[in-house]
Amino acid sequence: MSGLVDNYSRGMTLKVVLNIWSGLNTASKDKCVPGPLPKEGKAFTEIKETLLGLIAKSEAEEEEEMIISYTKPDRRIHSEVQKAALLSHTFAAYISTLDKNLVCRIAMQIVSDTSLWLSKIFRFFDSLAYFSKDSKEGLIRVIRMVLHMRYLRYSGTGYEALFTRPPVIYYCDPDAHNVGKYLSYLCSQLGLPLSCIQAVPSMSGASDNQFKMDTAALEKCIKDDLSATKTPLLVIANAGSNVVGHVDNLQKIQEICLAHNVWLHVNGHSLAALSLVIVPNLPSNLGDSMTLCLGDWIGLPSLPYVTLYKAKEMAHVHAAGLGQASYGHLDFLPIWFAVQTLGYDILTQMIRHSFELADLLLQGIEKIPELRIINKRKPVPKDGHHHDVSTIGEKSIPTMILFEALTPVLVFQYTSKSFKGKNLFL
């Protein structure tokens, strides 16, 4: 769950700018100048104290730069799952000292177990998992895999295989500033020009739909690219985005992707709701790959991001670098520890509790007239059945109805009386 409060006056904005500028000046004055490496080694306890002092100094500087009260995070280990996630990094360091073949054998077993557990929890059956510290890394490797799938000579000739029919990736996001950095990063990591990214416009009209991808425009873009001898490669769709929590029309987008042989990747916090429906063997039928922010959903930021994907040929998986177990990487160990420590019941209860907190906060904010809700509103049920967190369980609920019924992201804006009726967000 995330919140967004816009600055509502120039005075507030000016105060923030001046405060940040002051903080930058202070930081520049106190900037640590690197010194030479000492000839004699230091004791471990001395190095540890230096690191703890650096953490304390950085926290103090951050507290001075904040215009609001700064609360230091509580770093005490309160639960078994926190302890397990912390110790998993130590075990990963220990395992990495073993023989490489032994490390790969251990890693393959752990990855197989964790992939099976997560694919069943989030009802994305027959999928493999890739674990990464960066939220974009999994998507980058999935795109590489799709490039190998669509261009058979790609592994041998590289960019020359793309020249005659260049690939196109389709994306739509209301946060124009951050999306530019996001797409530039994708292209730089894939070695593709920015012309391979096609921005799909969002829908116009009702405020609840204005951030969603325009499916008619998406289909037109794909057909135009096919006519221009390009290869529509992949669509990136949102299911509960960080910006406004909107959910694209995934059902229609999937139909378009299937009709034109385009890979569909889904991001967003609404994907957490897939774990709440516990009907046995009920698939989510949602795209070809998805990225899960499991650490954010259960309050363990140290957990890596998980990308679930459907693999057709293992040769393409290894060519894209998705078979991390065969390389002895151990980024997945914290999730393996955490999932087993919690168990299925407690894990889904924690996710359910996050949705309940979001609903509770939404109900409180709706009572304050100075706060305007920006994220998506819950739709009025057409079938007469009202779905919320408490009623979702053993009943079969279509994925889109499930996403629309829950609130994974809460975005609100302060509007004073003098700014009533003005759209400060856009």
PDB file of all heavy atoms in Angstrom, residues 280-316:
ATOM      1  N   PRO A 280      -8.992 -25.048  -5.087  1.00  0.00           N
ATOM      2  CA  PRO A 280      -7.907 -25.904  -5.584  1.00  0.00           C
ATOM      3  C   PRO A 280      -7.833 -25.913  -7.113  1.00  0.00           C
ATOM      4  O   PRO A 280      -8.847 -26.010  -7.800  1.00  0.00           O
ATOM      5  CB  PRO A 280      -8.277 -27.292  -5.045  1.00  0.00           C
ATOM      6  CG  PRO A 280      -9.187 -27.029  -3.883  1.00  0.00           C
ATOM      7  CD  PRO A 280      -9.948 -25.784  -4.237  1.00  0.00           C
ATOM      8  N   ASN A 281      -6.599 -25.783  -7.614  1.00  0.00           N
ATOM      9  CA  ASN A 281      -6.305 -25.928  -9.051  1.00  0.00           C
ATOM     10  C   ASN A 281      -7.090 -24.946  -9.921  1.00  0.00           C
ATOM     11  O   ASN A 281      -7.423 -25.258 -11.074  1.00  0.00           O
ATOM     12  CB  ASN A 281      -6.583 -27.363  -9.512  1.00  0.00           C
ATOM     13  CG  ASN A 281      -5.757 -28.384  -8.752  1.00  0.00           C
ATOM     14  OD1 ASN A 281      -4.594 -28.151  -8.461  1.00  0.00           O
ATOM     15  ND2 ASN A 281      -6.374 -29.503  -8.410  1.00  0.00           N
ATOM     16  N   LEU A 282      -7.395 -23.765  -9.393  1.00  0.00           N
ATOM     17  CA  LEU A 282      -8.072 -22.731 -10.186  1.00  0.00           C
ATOM     18  C   LEU A 282      -7.021 -21.774 -10.737  1.00  0.00           C
ATOM     19  O   LEU A 282      -6.456 -20.970  -9.995  1.00  0.00           O
ATOM     20  CB  LEU A 282      -9.080 -21.966  -9.334  1.00  0.00           C
ATOM     21  CG  LEU A 282      -9.820 -20.809 -10.038  1.00  0.00           C
ATOM     22  CD1 LEU A 282     -10.709 -21.363 -11.149  1.00  0.00           C
ATOM     23  CD2 LEU A 282     -10.636 -20.000  -9.044  1.00  0.00           C
ATOM     24  N   PRO A 283      -6.706 -21.839 -12.039  1.00  0.00           N
ATOM     25  CA  PRO A 283      -5.652 -20.977 -12.589  1.00  0.00           C
ATOM     26  C   PRO A 283      -6.108 -19.523 -12.690  1.00  0.00           C
ATOM     27  O   PRO A 283      -7.294 -19.229 -12.828  1.00  0.00           O
ATOM     28  CB  PRO A 283      -5.401 -21.578 -13.977  1.00  0.00           C
ATOM     29  CG  PRO A 283      -6.707 -22.208 -14.342  1.00  0.00           C
ATOM     30  CD  PRO A 283      -7.303 -22.713 -13.057  1.00  0.00           C
ATOM     31  N   SER A 284      -5.135 -18.623 -12.614  1.00  0.00           N
ATOM     32  CA  SER A 284      -5.459 -17.197 -12.715  1.00  0.00           C
ATOM     33  C   SER A 284      -5.680 -16.779 -14.158  1.00  0.00           C
ATOM     34  O   SER A 284      -6.359 -15.776 -14.412  1.00  0.00           O
ATOM     35  CB  SER A 284      -4.323 -16.368 -12.105  1.00  0.00           C
ATOM     36  OG  SER A 284      -3.108 -16.610 -12.798  1.00  0.00           O
ATOM     37  N   ASN A 285      -5.112 -17.519 -15.124  1.00  0.00           N
ATOM     38  CA  ASN A 285      -5.248 -17.190 -16.550  1.00  0.00           C
ATOM     39  C   ASN A 285      -4.885 -15.731 -16.805  1.00  0.00           C
ATOM     40  O   ASN A 285      -5.650 -14.956 -17.369  1.00  0.00           O
ATOM     41  CB  ASN A 285      -6.665 -17.474 -17.044  1.00  0.00           C
ATOM     42  CG  ASN A 285      -7.015 -18.947 -16.978  1.00  0.00           C
ATOM     43  OD1 ASN A 285      -6.169 -19.797 -17.218  1.00  0.00           O
ATOM     44  ND2 ASN A 285      -8.258 -19.249 -16.635  1.00  0.00           N
ATOM     45  N   LEU A 286      -3.696 -15.367 -16.372  1.00  0.00           N
ATOM     46  CA  LEU A 286      -3.291 -13.973 -16.416  1.00  0.00           C
ATOM     47  C   LEU A 286      -1.917 -13.838 -17.062  1.00  0.00           C
ATOM     48  O   LEU A 286      -0.887 -13.915 -16.396  1.00  0.00           O
ATOM     49  CB  LEU A 286      -3.269 -13.401 -14.993  1.00  0.00           C
ATOM     50  CG  LEU A 286      -3.127 -11.892 -14.854  1.00  0.00           C
ATOM     51  CD1 LEU A 286      -4.343 -11.185 -15.438  1.00  0.00           C
ATOM     52  CD2 LEU A 286      -2.960 -11.507 -13.396  1.00  0.00           C
ATOM     53  N   GLY A 287      -1.891 -13.668 -18.369  1.00  0.00           N
ATOM     54  CA  GLY A 287      -0.657 -13.363 -19.059  1.00  0.00           C
ATOM     55  C   GLY A 287       0.325 -14.515 -19.125  1.00  0.00           C
ATOM     56  O   GLY A 287       0.030 -15.663 -18.803  1.00  0.00           O
ATOM     57  N   ASP A 288       1.552 -14.161 -19.547  1.00  0.00           N
ATOM     58  CA  ASP A 288       2.625 -15.142 -19.713  1.00  0.00           C
ATOM     59  C   ASP A 288       3.701 -15.006 -18.647  1.00  0.00           C
ATOM     60  O   ASP A 288       4.492 -15.935 -18.452  1.00  0.00           O
ATOM     61  CB  ASP A 288       3.268 -14.974 -21.095  1.00  0.00           C
ATOM     62  CG  ASP A 288       2.251 -15.107 -22.215  1.00  0.00           C
ATOM     63  OD1 ASP A 288       1.735 -16.220 -22.408  1.00  0.00           O
ATOM     64  OD2 ASP A 288       1.949 -14.090 -22.870  1.00  0.00           O
ATOM     65  N   SER A 289       3.764 -13.861 -17.979  1.00  0.00           N
ATOM     66  CA  SER A 289       4.725 -13.656 -16.897  1.00  0.00           C
ATOM     67  C   SER A 289       4.230 -12.529 -16.007  1.00  0.00           C
ATOM     68  O   SER A 289       3.394 -11.716 -16.413  1.00  0.00           O
ATOM     69  CB  SER A 289       6.128 -13.334 -17.446  1.00  0.00           C
ATOM     70  OG  SER A 289       6.092 -12.160 -18.255  1.00  0.00           O
ATOM     71  N   MET A 290       4.726 -12.500 -14.770  1.00  0.00           N
ATOM     72  CA  MET A 290       4.333 -11.461 -13.820  1.00  0.00           C
ATOM     73  C   MET A 290       5.452 -11.253 -12.807  1.00  0.00           C
ATOM     74  O   MET A 290       6.235 -12.169 -12.529  1.00  0.00           O
ATOM     75  CB  MET A 290       3.038 -11.841 -13.095  1.00  0.00           C
ATOM     76  CG  MET A 290       3.127 -13.134 -12.301  1.00  0.00           C
ATOM     77  SD  MET A 290       1.629 -13.501 -11.341  1.00  0.00           S
ATOM     78  CE  MET A 290       0.449 -13.782 -12.653  1.00  0.00           C
ATOM     79  N   THR A 291       5.536 -10.037 -12.274  1.00  0.00           N
ATOM     80  CA  THR A 291       6.518  -9.709 -11.246  1.00  0.00           C
ATOM     81  C   THR A 291       5.804  -9.490  -9.923  1.00  0.00           C
ATOM     82  O   THR A 291       4.854  -8.705  -9.849  1.00  0.00           O
ATOM     83  CB  THR A 291       7.321  -8.455 -11.619  1.00  0.00           C
ATOM     84  OG1 THR A 291       8.037  -8.689 -12.837  1.00  0.00           O
ATOM     85  CG2 THR A 291       8.320  -8.106 -10.529  1.00  0.00           C
ATOM     86  N   LEU A 292       6.255 -10.180  -8.869  1.00  0.00           N
ATOM     87  CA  LEU A 292       5.630 -10.133  -7.548  1.00  0.00           C
ATOM     88  C   LEU A 292       6.545  -9.403  -6.569  1.00  0.00           C
ATOM     89  O   LEU A 292       7.750  -9.694  -6.496  1.00  0.00           O
ATOM     90  CB  LEU A 292       5.365 -11.550  -7.034  1.00  0.00           C
ATOM     91  CG  LEU A 292       4.615 -12.506  -7.971  1.00  0.00           C
ATOM     92  CD1 LEU A 292       4.530 -13.891  -7.351  1.00  0.00           C
ATOM     93  CD2 LEU A 292       3.226 -11.968  -8.281  1.00  0.00           C
ATOM     94  N   CYS A 293       5.966  -8.470  -5.805  1.00  0.00           N
ATOM     95  CA  CYS A 293       6.702  -7.736  -4.768  1.00  0.00           C
ATOM     96  C   CYS A 293       6.355  -8.346  -3.406  1.00  0.00           C
ATOM     97  O   CYS A 293       5.756  -7.686  -2.549  1.00  0.00           O
ATOM     98  CB  CYS A 293       6.351  -6.254  -4.792  1.00  0.00           C
ATOM     99  SG  CYS A 293       6.444  -5.490  -6.420  1.00  0.00           S
ATOM    100  N   LEU A 294       6.709  -9.589  -3.204  1.00  0.00           N
ATOM    101  CA  LEU A 294       6.297 -10.311  -2.016  1.00  0.00           C
ATOM    102  C   LEU A 294       6.797  -9.659  -0.737  1.00  0.00           C
ATOM    103  O   LEU A 294       6.086  -9.634   0.278  1.00  0.00           O
ATOM    104  CB  LEU A 294       6.794 -11.762  -2.108  1.00  0.00           C
ATOM    105  CG  LEU A 294       6.308 -12.724  -1.024  1.00  0.00           C
ATOM    106  CD1 LEU A 294       4.785 -12.812  -1.034  1.00  0.00           C
ATOM    107  CD2 LEU A 294       6.927 -14.104  -1.205  1.00  0.00           C
ATOM    108  N   GLY A 295       8.007  -9.127  -0.753  1.00  0.00           N
ATOM    109  CA  GLY A 295       8.553  -8.488   0.440  1.00  0.00           C
ATOM    110  C   GLY A 295       7.737  -7.300   0.896  1.00  0.00           C
ATOM    111  O   GLY A 295       7.537  -7.088   2.105  1.00  0.00           O
ATOM    112  N   ASP A 296       7.227  -6.498  -0.046  1.00  0.00           N
ATOM    113  CA  ASP A 296       6.385  -5.350   0.309  1.00  0.00           C
ATOM    114  C   ASP A 296       5.045  -5.800   0.873  1.00  0.00           C
ATOM    115  O   ASP A 296       4.494  -5.150   1.769  1.00  0.00           O
ATOM    116  CB  ASP A 296       6.148  -4.472  -0.922  1.00  0.00           C
ATOM    117  CG  ASP A 296       7.425  -3.827  -1.417  1.00  0.00           C
ATOM    118  OD1 ASP A 296       8.368  -3.712  -0.618  1.00  0.00           O
ATOM    119  OD2 ASP A 296       7.490  -3.458  -2.596  1.00  0.00           O
ATOM    120  N   TRP A 297       4.513  -6.895   0.369  1.00  0.00           N
ATOM    121  CA  TRP A 297       3.178  -7.336   0.766  1.00  0.00           C
ATOM    122  C   TRP A 297       3.146  -7.936   2.159  1.00  0.00           C
ATOM    123  O   TRP A 297       2.113  -7.887   2.827  1.00  0.00           O
ATOM    124  CB  TRP A 297       2.644  -8.350  -0.253  1.00  0.00           C
ATOM    125  CG  TRP A 297       2.552  -7.811  -1.641  1.00  0.00           C
ATOM    126  CD1 TRP A 297       2.488  -6.493  -2.006  1.00  0.00           C
ATOM    127  CD2 TRP A 297       2.548  -8.550  -2.866  1.00  0.00           C
ATOM    128  NE1 TRP A 297       2.436  -6.365  -3.369  1.00  0.00           N
ATOM    129  CE2 TRP A 297       2.476  -7.615  -3.930  1.00  0.00           C
ATOM    130  CE3 TRP A 297       2.582  -9.906  -3.167  1.00  0.00           C
ATOM    131  CZ2 TRP A 297       2.433  -7.996  -5.257  1.00  0.00           C
ATOM    132  CZ3 TRP A 297       2.553 -10.286  -4.493  1.00  0.00           C
ATOM    133  CH2 TRP A 297       2.476  -9.351  -5.533  1.00  0.00           C
ATOM    134  N   ILE A 298       4.251  -8.511   2.611  1.00  0.00           N
ATOM    135  CA  ILE A 298       4.263  -9.121   3.943  1.00  0.00           C
ATOM    136  C   ILE A 298       5.195  -8.391   4.906  1.00  0.00           C
ATOM    137  O   ILE A 298       5.448  -8.874   6.006  1.00  0.00           O
ATOM    138  CB  ILE A 298       4.648 -10.612   3.870  1.00  0.00           C
ATOM    139  CG1 ILE A 298       6.066 -10.787   3.340  1.00  0.00           C
ATOM    140  CG2 ILE A 298       3.652 -11.379   3.011  1.00  0.00           C
ATOM    141  CD1 ILE A 298       6.539 -12.241   3.342  1.00  0.00           C
ATOM    142  N   GLY A 299       5.703  -7.222   4.498  1.00  0.00           N
ATOM    143  CA  GLY A 299       6.500  -6.404   5.400  1.00  0.00           C
ATOM    144  C   GLY A 299       7.916  -6.895   5.612  1.00  0.00           C
ATOM    145  O   GLY A 299       8.481  -6.697   6.690  1.00  0.00           O
ATOM    146  N   LEU A 300       8.521  -7.514   4.598  1.00  0.00           N
ATOM    147  CA  LEU A 300       9.910  -7.954   4.671  1.00  0.00           C
ATOM    148  C   LEU A 300      10.668  -7.381   3.477  1.00  0.00           C
ATOM    149  O   LEU A 300      10.822  -8.044   2.444  1.00  0.00           O
ATOM    150  CB  LEU A 300      10.010  -9.478   4.666  1.00  0.00           C
ATOM    151  CG  LEU A 300       9.616 -10.200   5.958  1.00  0.00           C
ATOM    152  CD1 LEU A 300       9.651 -11.709   5.747  1.00  0.00           C
ATOM    153  CD2 LEU A 300      10.531  -9.814   7.098  1.00  0.00           C
ATOM    154  N   PRO A 301      11.128  -6.129   3.569  1.00  0.00           N
ATOM    155  CA  PRO A 301      11.769  -5.480   2.413  1.00  0.00           C
ATOM    156  C   PRO A 301      13.040  -6.178   1.941  1.00  0.00           C
ATOM    157  O   PRO A 301      13.510  -5.916   0.843  1.00  0.00           O
ATOM    158  CB  PRO A 301      12.079  -4.070   2.940  1.00  0.00           C
ATOM    159  CG  PRO A 301      11.207  -3.889   4.137  1.00  0.00           C
ATOM    160  CD  PRO A 301      11.031  -5.240   4.736  1.00  0.00           C
ATOM    161  N   SER A 302      13.625  -7.049   2.774  1.00  0.00           N
ATOM    162  CA  SER A 302      14.871  -7.702   2.387  1.00  0.00           C
ATOM    163  C   SER A 302      14.666  -8.823   1.383  1.00  0.00           C
ATOM    164  O   SER A 302      15.634  -9.343   0.829  1.00  0.00           O
ATOM    165  CB  SER A 302      15.573  -8.273   3.626  1.00  0.00           C
ATOM    166  OG  SER A 302      14.758  -9.252   4.255  1.00  0.00           O
ATOM    167  N   LEU A 303      13.410  -9.202   1.126  1.00  0.00           N
ATOM    168  CA  LEU A 303      13.151 -10.293   0.190  1.00  0.00           C
ATOM    169  C   LEU A 303      13.354  -9.829  -1.246  1.00  0.00           C
ATOM    170  O   LEU A 303      13.030  -8.693  -1.592  1.00  0.00           O
ATOM    171  CB  LEU A 303      11.725 -10.823   0.354  1.00  0.00           C
ATOM    172  CG  LEU A 303      11.358 -11.469   1.689  1.00  0.00           C
ATOM    173  CD1 LEU A 303       9.971 -12.075   1.609  1.00  0.00           C
ATOM    174  CD2 LEU A 303      12.376 -12.524   2.082  1.00  0.00           C
ATOM    175  N   PRO A 304      13.858 -10.688  -2.115  1.00  0.00           N
ATOM    176  CA  PRO A 304      14.020 -10.315  -3.527  1.00  0.00           C
ATOM    177  C   PRO A 304      12.681 -10.280  -4.250  1.00  0.00           C
ATOM    178  O   PRO A 304      11.678 -10.817  -3.771  1.00  0.00           O
ATOM    179  CB  PRO A 304      14.915 -11.432  -4.083  1.00  0.00           C
ATOM    180  CG  PRO A 304      14.622 -12.609  -3.217  1.00  0.00           C
ATOM    181  CD  PRO A 304      14.350 -12.059  -1.842  1.00  0.00           C
ATOM    182  N   TYR A 305      12.660  -9.645  -5.405  1.00  0.00           N
ATOM    183  CA  TYR A 305      11.478  -9.654  -6.270  1.00  0.00           C
ATOM    184  C   TYR A 305      11.401 -11.005  -6.993  1.00  0.00           C
ATOM    185  O   TYR A 305      12.422 -11.637  -7.263  1.00  0.00           O
ATOM    186  CB  TYR A 305      11.551  -8.522  -7.288  1.00  0.00           C
ATOM    187  CG  TYR A 305      11.473  -7.148  -6.674  1.00  0.00           C
ATOM    188  CD1 TYR A 305      12.632  -6.469  -6.305  1.00  0.00           C
ATOM    189  CD2 TYR A 305      10.247  -6.530  -6.458  1.00  0.00           C
ATOM    190  CE1 TYR A 305      12.564  -5.203  -5.730  1.00  0.00           C
ATOM    191  CE2 TYR A 305      10.166  -5.267  -5.879  1.00  0.00           C
ATOM    192  CZ  TYR A 305      11.331  -4.611  -5.522  1.00  0.00           C
ATOM    193  OH  TYR A 305      11.257  -3.378  -4.942  1.00  0.00           O
ATOM    194  N   VAL A 306      10.189 -11.422  -7.282  1.00  0.00           N
ATOM    195  CA  VAL A 306       9.970 -12.713  -7.938  1.00  0.00           C
ATOM    196  C   VAL A 306       9.291 -12.478  -9.281  1.00  0.00           C
ATOM    197  O   VAL A 306       8.288 -11.762  -9.352  1.00  0.00           O
ATOM    198  CB  VAL A 306       9.086 -13.638  -7.078  1.00  0.00           C
ATOM    199  CG1 VAL A 306       8.942 -15.006  -7.747  1.00  0.00           C
ATOM    200  CG2 VAL A 306       9.655 -13.788  -5.677  1.00  0.00           C
ATOM    201  N   THR A 307       9.838 -13.055 -10.323  1.00  0.00           N
ATOM    202  CA  THR A 307       9.222 -13.015 -11.652  1.00  0.00           C
ATOM    203  C   THR A 307       8.831 -14.434 -12.036  1.00  0.00           C
ATOM    204  O   THR A 307       9.708 -15.301 -12.187  1.00  0.00           O
ATOM    205  CB  THR A 307      10.179 -12.430 -12.702  1.00  0.00           C
ATOM    206  OG1 THR A 307      10.534 -11.098 -12.327  1.00  0.00           O
ATOM    207  CG2 THR A 307       9.518 -12.400 -14.065  1.00  0.00           C
ATOM    208  N   LEU A 308       7.525 -14.682 -12.145  1.00  0.00           N
ATOM    209  CA  LEU A 308       7.022 -15.970 -12.604  1.00  0.00           C
ATOM    210  C   LEU A 308       6.809 -15.905 -14.108  1.00  0.00           C
ATOM    211  O   LEU A 308       6.248 -14.935 -14.616  1.00  0.00           O
ATOM    212  CB  LEU A 308       5.707 -16.322 -11.896  1.00  0.00           C
ATOM    213  CG  LEU A 308       5.754 -16.463 -10.367  1.00  0.00           C
ATOM    214  CD1 LEU A 308       4.372 -16.758  -9.821  1.00  0.00           C
ATOM    215  CD2 LEU A 308       6.740 -17.539  -9.940  1.00  0.00           C
ATOM    216  N   TYR A 309       7.227 -16.930 -14.829  1.00  0.00           N
ATOM    217  CA  TYR A 309       7.122 -16.906 -16.283  1.00  0.00           C
ATOM    218  C   TYR A 309       6.866 -18.319 -16.805  1.00  0.00           C
ATOM    219  O   TYR A 309       7.242 -19.320 -16.187  1.00  0.00           O
ATOM    220  CB  TYR A 309       8.402 -16.337 -16.910  1.00  0.00           C
ATOM    221  CG  TYR A 309       9.649 -17.137 -16.613  1.00  0.00           C
ATOM    222  CD1 TYR A 309      10.104 -18.107 -17.502  1.00  0.00           C
ATOM    223  CD2 TYR A 309      10.360 -16.930 -15.434  1.00  0.00           C
ATOM    224  CE1 TYR A 309      11.236 -18.849 -17.234  1.00  0.00           C
ATOM    225  CE2 TYR A 309      11.493 -17.670 -15.145  1.00  0.00           C
ATOM    226  CZ  TYR A 309      11.932 -18.627 -16.044  1.00  0.00           C
ATOM    227  OH  TYR A 309      13.060 -19.374 -15.764  1.00  0.00           O
ATOM    228  N   LYS A 310       6.227 -18.385 -17.962  1.00  0.00           N
ATOM    229  CA  LYS A 310       5.982 -19.660 -18.635  1.00  0.00           C
ATOM    230  C   LYS A 310       7.118 -19.904 -19.627  1.00  0.00           C
ATOM    231  O   LYS A 310       7.408 -19.049 -20.467  1.00  0.00           O
ATOM    232  CB  LYS A 310       4.636 -19.619 -19.372  1.00  0.00           C
ATOM    233  CG  LYS A 310       3.431 -19.323 -18.480  1.00  0.00           C
ATOM    234  CD  LYS A 310       3.133 -20.489 -17.555  1.00  0.00           C
ATOM    235  CE  LYS A 310       1.914 -20.212 -16.677  1.00  0.00           C
ATOM    236  NZ  LYS A 310       0.653 -20.180 -17.448  1.00  0.00           N
ATOM    237  N   ALA A 311       7.732 -21.056 -19.519  1.00  0.00           N
ATOM    238  CA  ALA A 311       8.865 -21.392 -20.384  1.00  0.00           C
ATOM    239  C   ALA A 311       8.467 -22.487 -21.356  1.00  0.00           C
ATOM    240  O   ALA A 311       7.892 -23.500 -20.960  1.00  0.00           O
ATOM    241  CB  ALA A 311      10.056 -21.831 -19.553  1.00  0.00           C
ATOM    242  N   LYS A 312       8.782 -22.276 -22.645  1.00  0.00           N
ATOM    243  CA  LYS A 312       8.486 -23.275 -23.663  1.00  0.00           C
ATOM    244  C   LYS A 312       9.686 -24.154 -23.952  1.00  0.00           C
ATOM    245  O   LYS A 312       9.553 -25.362 -24.141  1.00  0.00           O
ATOM    246  CB  LYS A 312       8.015 -22.570 -24.943  1.00  0.00           C
ATOM    247  CG  LYS A 312       6.691 -21.824 -24.764  1.00  0.00           C
ATOM    248  CD  LYS A 312       6.247 -21.190 -26.065  1.00  0.00           C
ATOM    249  CE  LYS A 312       4.913 -20.459 -25.887  1.00  0.00           C
ATOM    250  NZ  LYS A 312       4.466 -19.817 -27.153  1.00  0.00           N
ATOM    251  N   GLU A 313      10.874 -23.554 -23.991  1.00  0.00           N
ATOM    252  CA  GLU A 313      12.094 -24.314 -24.226  1.00  0.00           C
ATOM    253  C   GLU A 313      13.158 -23.847 -23.239  1.00  0.00           C
ATOM    254  O   GLU A 313      13.402 -22.642 -23.098  1.00  0.00           O
ATOM    255  CB  GLU A 313      12.599 -24.132 -25.663  1.00  0.00           C
ATOM    256  CG  GLU A 313      11.695 -24.740 -26.728  1.00  0.00           C
ATOM    257  CD  GLU A 313      12.327 -24.678 -28.100  1.00  0.00           C
ATOM    258  OE1 GLU A 313      13.567 -24.533 -28.172  1.00  0.00           O
ATOM    259  OE2 GLU A 313      11.586 -24.755 -29.094  1.00  0.00           O
ATOM    260  N   MET A 314      13.805 -24.798 -22.564  1.00  0.00           N
ATOM    261  CA  MET A 314      14.810 -24.446 -21.571  1.00  0.00           C
ATOM    262  C   MET A 314      16.039 -23.809 -22.212  1.00  0.00           C
ATOM    263  O   MET A 314      16.774 -23.070 -21.554  1.00  0.00           O
ATOM    264  CB  MET A 314      15.211 -25.688 -20.778  1.00  0.00           C
ATOM    265  CG  MET A 314      14.107 -26.245 -19.888  1.00  0.00           C
ATOM    266  SD  MET A 314      13.435 -24.991 -18.752  1.00  0.00           S
ATOM    267  CE  MET A 314      14.884 -24.588 -17.782  1.00  0.00           C
ATOM    268  N   ALA A 315      16.252 -24.072 -23.484  1.00  0.00           N
ATOM    269  CA  ALA A 315      17.387 -23.438 -24.157  1.00  0.00           C
ATOM    270  C   ALA A 315      17.230 -21.928 -24.172  1.00  0.00           C
ATOM    271  O   ALA A 315      18.201 -21.179 -23.971  1.00  0.00           O
ATOM    272  CB  ALA A 315      17.511 -23.973 -25.593  1.00  0.00           C
ATOM    273  N   HIS A 316      15.992 -21.447 -24.390  1.00  0.00           N
ATOM    274  CA  HIS A 316      15.742 -20.005 -24.372  1.00  0.00           C
ATOM    275  C   HIS A 316      15.866 -19.446 -22.962  1.00  0.00           C
ATOM    276  O   HIS A 316      16.311 -18.305 -22.776  1.00  0.00           O
ATOM    277  CB  HIS A 316      14.339 -19.729 -24.921  1.00  0.00           C
ATOM    278  CG  HIS A 316      14.160 -20.168 -26.332  1.00  0.00           C
ATOM    279  ND1 HIS A 316      12.939 -20.587 -26.847  1.00  0.00           N
ATOM    280  CD2 HIS A 316      15.046 -20.272 -27.361  1.00  0.00           C
ATOM    281  CE1 HIS A 316      13.083 -20.908 -28.115  1.00  0.00           C
ATOM    282  NE2 HIS A 316      14.350 -20.728 -28.443  1.00  0.00           N
TER     283      HIS A 316
END
